[in-house]
């Protein structure tokens, strides 16, 4: 960290999830699975699925953003930059950042861009926003993670290993220059390893075809997510502790100094493994995967928003956000709240 640069702080956080609750029992009507299997392997009891005609990736992000702005005492017109993390944009192009700008009614031609880093997307987006604040280029940055998975899942028995995991939702934070010395985002840490790109992938509609539309029509199965679950699991349980430790080391802290760890909600078993590996009590690690499943880029800000709402994060607390996912990519952010 360069201490001569100003720190940024999370001035507001909010989330939105669709009303439609889909329980494990509901899934048993669609595929050969059981509540026991899903709970035992993932911890998930239910997830939210969007409502067509009502929820979009951009407007769910806008709902979360309005709450974050309200908490910060700001309005959409105060926003100077939008950073939008999603793997499930409303359109192939343009990205969801500009759609969010429109949803929020922001008339000023502020910059907006998308980050495509899947489960690590929000922490990557937060890190980018942090750099803009640190350098003084912007004072108010909206960082959003929003996903609609349910419309792209194979909800037959063929796709059950993946489709029971994912859910829809959105979370957002407002970043501002820190008003308190040595409080705010202390450091962020970003990594990737592209050799594992195909281990967790939605392959189509890829652009490397002579006629991609024709190809997709003939190979529609490649539009569903594929995951080598066991391999992803093996890497996740190594990378999560590594990237959390990296953040603590850089700032001279030990795991026991952490007040709250907000991991990406990938699988409750992964979270429990990380908790044990870091030697943390259950009260210091936040889990809501039971109610929402894995919402990829939305999972960290939804969890952060709930943790703040529930009073589990207080001023001055040491908070770590950490994520791992497709790419592979992984990332962390250490925050003095
Ligand atoms: N219901 C019932 N049985 C199932 C289901 C299901 N929904 N899904 C798979 N099975 C069966 C399999 O067919 C297999 O049967 P078999 O032994 O007869 O072949 C058996 O259950 C075991 O399957 P595995 O895939 O070995 O199960 P595993 O214990 O590995 O759990 C899981 C699968 C939950 C996907 C796990 O591997 C996991 O969580 N991996 C990591 C996921 C993750 O972290 N993703 C990263 C973020 S996502 C992102 O970045 C986009």
């Amino acid at each position: 960290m360069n201490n001569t640069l100003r720190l940024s702080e999370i001035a507001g956080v909010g989330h939105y999830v669709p009303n439609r609750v889909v329980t494990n029992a509901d899934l048993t009507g669609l595929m050969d699975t059981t509540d026991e299997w899903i709970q035992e392997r993932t911890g998930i009891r239910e997830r939210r699925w969007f409502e067509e005609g009502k929820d979009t990736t951009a407007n769910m992000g806008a709902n979360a953003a309005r709450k974050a702005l309200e908490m910060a005492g700001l309005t959409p017109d105060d926003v100077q930059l939008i950073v939008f993390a999603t793997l499930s944009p409303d359109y192939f192009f343009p990205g969801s950042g500009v759609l969010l700008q429109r949803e929020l009614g922001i008339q000023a031609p502020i910059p907006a861009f998308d980050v495509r880093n899947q489960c690590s997307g929000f922490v990557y987006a937060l890190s980018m926003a942090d750099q803009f604040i640190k350098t003084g280029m912007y004072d108010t940055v909206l960082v959003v993670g929003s996903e609609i998975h349910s419309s792209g899942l194979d909800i037959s028995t063929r796709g059950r290993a993946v489709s029971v995991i994912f859910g829809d939702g959105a979370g957002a934070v407002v970043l501002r220059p820190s008003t308190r010395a040595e409080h705010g985002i202390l450091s962020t840490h970003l990594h990737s390893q592209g050799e594992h790109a195909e281990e967790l992938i939605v392959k189509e509609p890829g652009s490397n075809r002579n006629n991609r539309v024709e190809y997709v029509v003939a190979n529609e199965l490649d539009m569903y997510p594929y995951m080598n679950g066991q391999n992803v699991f093996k890497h996740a349980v190594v990378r999560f502790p590594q990237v959390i430790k990296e953040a603590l080391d850089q700032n001279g802290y030990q795991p026991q100094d952490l007040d709250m760890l907000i991991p990406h909600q990938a699988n409750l078993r992964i979270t429990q493994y990380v908790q044990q590996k870091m030697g943390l009590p259950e009260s210091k690690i936040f889990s809501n995967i039971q109610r929402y499943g894995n919402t990829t880029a939305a999972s960290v800000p939804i969890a952060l928003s709930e943790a703040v709402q529930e009073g589990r994060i207080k001023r001055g607390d040491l908070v770590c956000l950490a994520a791992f996912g497709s790419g592979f990519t992984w990332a962390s952010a250490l925050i003095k709240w």
Side-chain angles (χ1 to χ4, degrees):
M1 182 179 55
N2 182 340
N3 285 314
T4 59
L5 298 173
R6 63 183 185 171
L7 294 187
S8 65
E9 69 178 7
I10 295 179
V13 54
H15 71 279
Y16 168 87
V17 290
N19 285 331
R20 185 178 168 201
V21 176
V22 177
T23 64
N24 293 346
D26 293 329
L27 295 182
T28 61
L30 300 168
M31 61 188 81
D32 182 11
T33 190
T34 60
D35 178 44
E36 294 71 38
W37 191 96
I38 301 171
Q39 286 212 46
E40 191 195 308
R41 304 287 175 126
T42 70
I44 300 166
R45 292 198 301 265
E46 60 188 41
R47 71 287 291 138
R48 303 297 177 102
W49 282 6
F50 87 121
E51 288 173 57
E52 191 183 335
K54 180 183 174 219
D55 299 312
T56 68
T57 296
N59 76 22
M60 294 198 316
N63 289 339
R66 283 189 201 95
K67 291 178 191 164
L69 285 164
E70 195 187 326
M71 182 178 163
L74 299 170
T75 71
D77 288 332
D78 296 315
V79 176
Q80 296 172 326
L81 167 70
I82 292 170
V83 188
F84 198 117
T86 186
L87 62 67
S88 52
D90 292 311
Y91 300 136
F92 197 79
F93 74 80
S96 297
V98 296
L99 302 181
L100 181 85
Q101 178 192 22
R102 185 172 66 188
E103 284 287 339
L104 291 175
I106 300 173
Q107 298 296 325
I110 59 162
F113 65 84
D114 284 29
V115 172
R116 296 195 47 194
N117 278 64
Q118 301 70 247
C119 295
S120 308
F122 180 80
V123 184
Y124 264 74
L126 188 74
S127 177
M128 287 181 209
D130 180 43
Q131 310 312 314
F132 282 109
I133 301 239
K134 275 201 171 108
T135 58
M137 188 159 174
Y138 299 113
D139 284 337
T140 305
V141 184
L142 190 55
V143 186
V144 175
S146 182
E147 305 282 12
I148 293 180
H149 280 288
S150 58
S151 59
L153 299 173
D154 178 355
I155 52 171
S156 69
T157 297
R158 192 179 48 204
R160 65 184 180 176
V162 173
S163 54
V164 299
I165 294 173
F166 292 112
D168 306 338
V173 302
V174 179
L175 271 199
R176 294 267 307 150
S178 177
T179 50
R180 294 166 297 151
E182 290 166 31
H183 283 69
I185 297 179
L186 304 179
S187 64
T188 57
H189 307 268
L190 311 178
H191 299 280
S192 61
Q193 200 175 13
E195 71 188 81
H196 302 295
E198 281 78 22
E199 294 293 84
L200 180 44
I201 185 172
V202 173
K203 217 169 164 189
E204 303 297 343
S207 53
N208 56 346
R209 314 277 173 216
N210 283 332
N211 185 332
R212 81 171 87 127
V213 176
E214 230 169 56
Y215 183 88
V216 164
V217 170
N219 298 274
E220 85 281 2
L221 288 186
D222 287 343
M223 291 187 72
Y224 290 126
Y226 163 79
M227 175 164 72
N228 180 347
Q230 290 187 358
N231 198 26
V232 174
F233 197 106
K234 278 184 207 150
H235 284 263
V237 294
V238 173
R239 295 308 190 184
F240 268 112
Q242 252 176 23
V243 80
I244 295 163
K245 198 165 176 306
E246 185 182 348
L248 292 170
D249 285 351
Q250 171 147 345
N251 295 283
Y253 288 110
Q254 302 294 321
Q256 60 268 26
D257 297 323
L258 268 180
D259 294 295
M260 183 56 70
L261 173 61
I262 310 267
H264 161 56
Q265 309 287 306
N267 181 323
L268 192 61
R269 286 193 297 150
I270 295 177
T271 300
Q272 285 164 345
Y273 183 91
V274 173
Q275 180 201 328
Q276 280 159 18
K277 183 93 184 160
M278 304 299 302
L280 295 172
E282 206 182 326
S283 58
K284 288 191 173 186
I285 189 160
F286 195 85
S287 289
N288 60 7
I289 191 170
Q290 299 90 335
R291 288 176 287 122
Y292 301 131
N294 177 345
T295 57
T296 53
S299 100
V300 168
I302 294 174
L304 181 66
S305 175
E306 288 200 332
V308 169
Q309 253 179 16
E310 291 171 19
R312 290 182 60 186
I313 297 177
K314 300 176 299 299
R315 270 195 153 210
D317 277 358
L318 190 66
V319 178
C320 187
L321 315 181
F324 174 89
S326 160
F328 293 148
T329 57
W330 59 103
S332 64
L334 194 68
I335 304 170
K336 189 86 174 153
W337 195 261

